[in-house]
Structure formats: structure tokens, C-alpha cells
Amino acid sequence: VKILAIIGSGDLGQLIAYHALQTNKYNKVVFFDDFKKNNEVVGYGTNIGKTNEILEKFNKNEFDELIIGIGYKHMNIRAKLFNEFYNHITFANIIHDTSYIEKNVSLGEGNVILPGCVIDCNSKIGNNVLINTGCIIAHDATVKSHCFLGPGVNVAGFTEINECCIIGIGTTIIDNIKISSNIRTGGGAVVVQNLTEEGVYVGVPAKKLNK
Ligand SMILES: CC(C)(COP(=O)(O)OP(=O)(O)OC[C@H]1O[C@@H](n2cnc3c(N)ncnc32)[C@H](O)[C@@H]1OP(=O)(O)O)[C@@H](O)C(=O)NCCC(=O)NCCS
């Protein structure tokens, strides 16, 4: 039984803490949060320090595994913190019991897969990806590192979502599509063409929002 450290003790950090504690793999959760006082109890755990103390506390065995609990409003920080500690600290994969991941799926580190997801064969999930409730990722699809998928996203076969994308709730992406890095889709978007230009895409079929 292990101690999980979560970076960020806000709403997402608390959600991850709740699910981690349900798995029986972790008996305790601690947080690192630059905006909270040291030793302050925040929801499911205590804030044991600032992000610049993470490595030192890992080396002192104050926790076993790390995960990023910073949400989609701060995508750059999500990626930056993961990259800073990748290869130095063991990252967790928090996967809900009700999610089915086919055996030959390639799954990196630091991923959170919330309840009721299905990831079918030959698919690849990078590192530090959050897959919200009820997502379906069909066969041979790729979701690269640091992406954030909202609830109920459907990704069809052979589709590729590159790094740091935010895929909005209920987005459907048809098969064989390529989505470039740093792209966001709105709730309910239906993507039927490759998305190559950075920006926000909404509607059916998804079109770039000009703002
Ligand atoms: C797409 C989105 C990011 C845009 O947010 P925003 O930049 O604040 O944009 P606005 O609300 O100002 O909307 C701009 C225009 O896009 C339209 N629009 C916004 N979201 C849309 C959507 N999902 N589908 C279709 N049109 C949408 C608005 O109606 C508005 O149109 P108008 O200019 O004709 O009035 C947001 O609306 C959205 O869909 N977010 C999804 C959030 C999500 O998935 N959350 C789950 C997290 S776990």
C-alpha cells in the first residue's frame, strides 16, 4: 500500500484523490500546492509542501508515486511539471475499476482514467493524459501526452490526437483524423477533417471559432 502525491489540491486534485483512495492501491494521499500553506489539510489529504520541494520529499520517501492534478485551464503548467519530474519520480496511473483497457494498449505514465471508459486494442495513450468519465477510444487510436479529454468523448479508429489538446465534453472524432498539438474542441463538436491550425473548434461539423 502506497502514498500518492498529487500536484494541485483543487477540484481536479480532489477528484483524483477520491478515486485513488477507492482503488486500495494507496492508503494515503498528500498534495503539493504552491497556493496552500504547508501542513494544511485540504480535502482528502495534507499539503506537504510547494512544488519546489517535490524531489527532495520523494528522495526522503515521503511519498511513493506522483500524479498531476492540474486541470485544463493550465495546460502549460500540466505539461511543464510532468516533464520536470518524468524520469526522476515514479508516476502513478490511476484507472477506475469500471474502465476497460484492452491488454495490448500502450499506456504511459501519469495517466488518469475515470469511470466507464473503454480503450480498445492497439491504441496508444501517452503520459499525463486525463480521460474523463465515459470516453470511448476505439482501436488503433493515439492520444499523446498531456491531453485532457472531457466526459463522453468518442475517438474512432486510427485517429491521432497530438500533445496538449483539450477535447471538450461529448466531442466525436471520426476515424483516421489527425489533430495537431494544442487544439481545443468545444462540447459536442463532431470532427470530420484533420485539425491542423491551433485554436478552438466547435459545432457539427467542427469549424474553427474566430475570436
Ligand atoms: C468551445 C468553448 C471552449 C468556447 O468557450 P468561449 O471561448 O468562452 O466561447 P463563448 O462562450 O464566448 O462562445 C463563442 C461562440 O461560440 C459558440 N459556442 C461556444 N461553445 C460552443 C459549442 N460547444 N458548440 C457550438 N458553438 C459553441 C457560442 O454560442 C458563441 O457563438 P456566437 O459568437 O455566435 O454567439 C466552450 O463553449 C465549450 O464548449 N467548452 C467545453 C467545456 C468542457 O468540455 N468541459 C468539460 C470539462 S471536464
Side-chain angles (χ1 to χ4, degrees):
V1 194
K2 298 173 177 174
I3 299 175
L4 177 71
I6 303 177
I7 305 183
S9 64
D11 294 340
L12 183 63
Q14 296 300 333
L15 180 67
I16 295 170
Y18 171 85
H19 284 298
L21 291 168
Q22 293 289 313
T23 62
N24 294 328
K25 217 174 124 189
Y26 306 96
N27 63 346
K28 191 174 161 188
V29 161
V30 294
F31 294 103
F32 286 98
D33 194 318
D34 290 345
F35 302 97
K36 294 274 157 50
K37 292 194 203 82
N38 283 17
N39 301 318
E40 183 179 342
V41 176
V42 198
Y44 291 105
T46 301
N47 181 46
I48 63 165
K50 308 272 182 267
T51 48
N52 63 9
E53 298 169 77
I54 292 176
L55 199 56
E56 171 201 329
K57 296 212 182 246
F58 179 70
N59 290 332
K60 285 190 193 156
N61 297 319
E62 291 193 29
F63 66 92
D64 300 291
E65 294 181 359
L66 183 65
I67 196 112
I68 308 283
I70 292 171
Y72 65 89
K73 289 184 182 141
H74 306 284
M75 288 300 273
N76 293 345
I77 304 171
R78 262 177 79 72
K80 182 180 161 285
L81 285 169
F82 180 86
N83 290 333
E84 186 176 335
F85 298 116
Y86 185 50
N87 290 330
H88 301 287
I89 293 183
T90 313
F91 274 89
N93 274 320
I94 310 289
I95 300 165
H96 197 266
D97 281 352
T98 61
S99 284
Y100 181 73
I101 300 174
E102 194 47 63
K103 288 171 205 67
N104 73 349
V105 164
S106 143
L107 184 70
E109 293 173 38
N111 298 302
V112 177
I113 302 179
L114 292 175
C117 296
V118 176
I119 306 180
D120 202 4
C121 53
N122 305 326
S123 287
K124 294 189 180 73
I125 310 294
N127 300 316
N128 191 28
V129 172
L130 187 132
I131 303 182
N132 223 304
T133 44
C135 286
I136 294 181
I137 298 178
H139 63 93
D140 299 281
T142 301
V143 180
K144 292 203 181 162
S145 297
H146 320 299
C147 284
F148 192 103
L149 275 54
V153 166
N154 292 314
V155 179
F158 298 103
T159 275
E160 182 178 302
I161 303 174
N162 278 283
E163 297 197 341
C164 301
C165 288
I166 307 171
I167 308 299
I169 181 168
T171 293
T172 292
I173 308 169
I174 70 162
D175 53 300
N176 288 291
I177 294 291
K178 279 196 172 31
I179 297 187
S180 301
S181 304
N182 302 308
I183 277 176
R184 179 168 194 185
T185 66
V190 177
V191 181
V192 299
Q193 284 179 324
N194 293 347
L195 305 182
T196 53
E197 216 181 303
E198 266 186 37
V200 181
Y201 292 79
V202 298
V204 183
K207 295 261 187 309
K208 192 158 184 263
L209 196 61
N210 292 311
K211 274 185 90 174

